[in-house]
């Protein structure tokens, strides 16, 4: 069952504006203490920029739909909420700009050296699917590289002041490489270097996304279809759709325009039919995205579809960061078993 707070997350998390599919009841006088928790939940789901923008729109248009009660008390509570929300939003944007600038430095060296490496996830999605760095939260820089070029990329990172942190031997073959550099504000810039977006050994036998599948010119280059496969595999294989941002990523890429035939081809080559189907179904169910529904239909038959839709539900995604999320772990791990059974032949 979806709580009021989770329903408001669904209402306010669409980057394009308040989500008309959701009309939760307003918070009452006795619930004013819950208001700051909506910002905390948005931070855990990584959808704070959209929520802050839409909350401001909601409060300007119909404040009584968000909080009802004695006007002076509710106005004090919502003013305090928006003040904190705007402070957090400025912090998010400042961090995004810092990471984007560091990414540009690295990419300029990558281009000069003609290395087969490409920017993925955070910075790329913010700029090319969400409409700008102000619209998506991210905490690091992700690069996908051909394995043979990983050492050369490491030399570029080292020349830019980054230090390598190698995983232990047991995880060496199936995890990203992490590089860090202090920033000018007392923090750390983290770069994660991937040779395959799917890290878990038991899943990589079935699902995979390498540089050659994602970005190589002979495979079609980096396109919206490629990004949708990447978003789906990241949300499914790394996190079991345990954060609302993974669905919103797919939503925004689908809205940007995805060729359905290309999507099906790329999906099959990566063994990503089930993850892509889950992401598109959730984007349609949570946000009414007709582009996602059309793309889902173009994928053709989905293995275990009747089981999959009962495991990864909109309610499960919305509550994935709540205090009662532990009750949903069994169905999420059953979904992981489905991933091990589907995809490319092992």
């Amino acid at each position: 069952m979806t709580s009021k707070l989770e329903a408001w997350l669904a209402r306010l998390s669409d980057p394009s504006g308040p989500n008309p599919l959701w009309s939760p009841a307003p918070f009452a006088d006795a619930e004013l203490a819950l208001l700051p928790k909506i910002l905390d939940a948005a931070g855990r789901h990584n959808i704070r920029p959209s929520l802050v923008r839409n909350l401001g729109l909601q409060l300007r248009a119909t404040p009584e739909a968000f909080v009802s009660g004695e006007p002076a008390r509710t106005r004090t509570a919502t003013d305090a909420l928006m003040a904190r929300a705007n402070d957090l939003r400025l912090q998010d944007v400042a961090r995004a700009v810092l990471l984007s600038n560091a990414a540009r430095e690295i990419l300029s060296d990558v281009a000069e050296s003609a290395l087969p490496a490409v920017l993925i996830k955070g910075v790329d999605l913010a700029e090319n699917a969400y409409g700008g760095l102000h619209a998506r939260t991210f905490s690091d820089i992700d690069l996908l590289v051909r394995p043979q070029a990983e050492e050369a990329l490491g030399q570029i990172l080292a020349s830019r002041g980054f230090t390598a942190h190698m995983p232990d031997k047991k995880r060496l073959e199936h995890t990203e490489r992490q590089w860090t550099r202090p920033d000018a504000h007392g923090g750390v810039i983290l770069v994660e270097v991937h040779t395959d977006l799917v890290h878990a050994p038991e899943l990589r036998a079935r699902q995979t996304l390498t540089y050659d599948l994602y970005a190589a010119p002979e495979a079609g280059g980096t396109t919206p279809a490629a990004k949708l496969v990447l978003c789906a595999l990241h949300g499914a294989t790394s996190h079991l759709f345990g954060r609302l941002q993974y669905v919103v990523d797919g939503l925004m890429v689908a809205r940007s325009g995805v060729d359905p035939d290309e999507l099906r081809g790329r999906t099959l080559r990566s063994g990503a039919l089930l993850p892509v189907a889950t992401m598109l179904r959730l984007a349609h169910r949570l946000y009414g995205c007709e582009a996602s529904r059309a793309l889902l239909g173009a994928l053709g038959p989905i293995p275990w579809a009747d089981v999959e839709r009962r495991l990864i539900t909109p309610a499960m995604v919305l509550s994935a960061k709540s205090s009662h999320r532990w009750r949903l772990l069994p169905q999420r791990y059953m979904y992981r078993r489905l991933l091990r059974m589907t995809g490319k032949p092992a």
Side-chain angles (χ1 to χ4, degrees), residues 118 120 144 209-216 221-222 226-227 230 266:
V118 64
I120 59 171
L144 184 63
L209 190 62
T210 61
Y211 174 88
D212 287 325
L213 285 170
Y214 178 73
T222 302
K227 293 180 184 184
L230 183 144
R266 286 184 178 266

Side-chain angles (χ1 to χ4, degrees), residues 25 42 66 86 107 129 157 161 163 178 184 213 223 242 258 287-288 293 302:
F66 180 70
N86 285 322
L107 291 177
L157 291 170
T163 300
Q178 295 188 335
L213 285 170
T223 66
V258 175
Y287 299 101
R293 183 170 71 166
I302 308 300

Side-chain angles (χ1 to χ4, degrees), residues 100-115 117 119 143 153 156 159-160:
S100 177
N101 289 341
R104 297 299 158 219
E105 293 176 1
I106 297 165
L107 291 177
S108 67
D109 293 343
V110 166
E112 185 176 341
S113 302
L115 288 185
L119 185 68
L143 300 169
L153 179 58
I156 287 174
S159 72
R160 288 287 181 177

Side-chain angles (χ1 to χ4, degrees), residues 152-174:
L153 179 58
Q155 292 171 358
I156 287 174
L157 291 170
S159 72
R160 288 287 181 177
F162 288 89
T163 300
H165 303 275
M166 301 302 289
D168 59 54
K169 291 183 179 180
K170 291 182 179 179
R171 301 174 62 233
L172 189 62
E173 187 179 349
H174 295 283

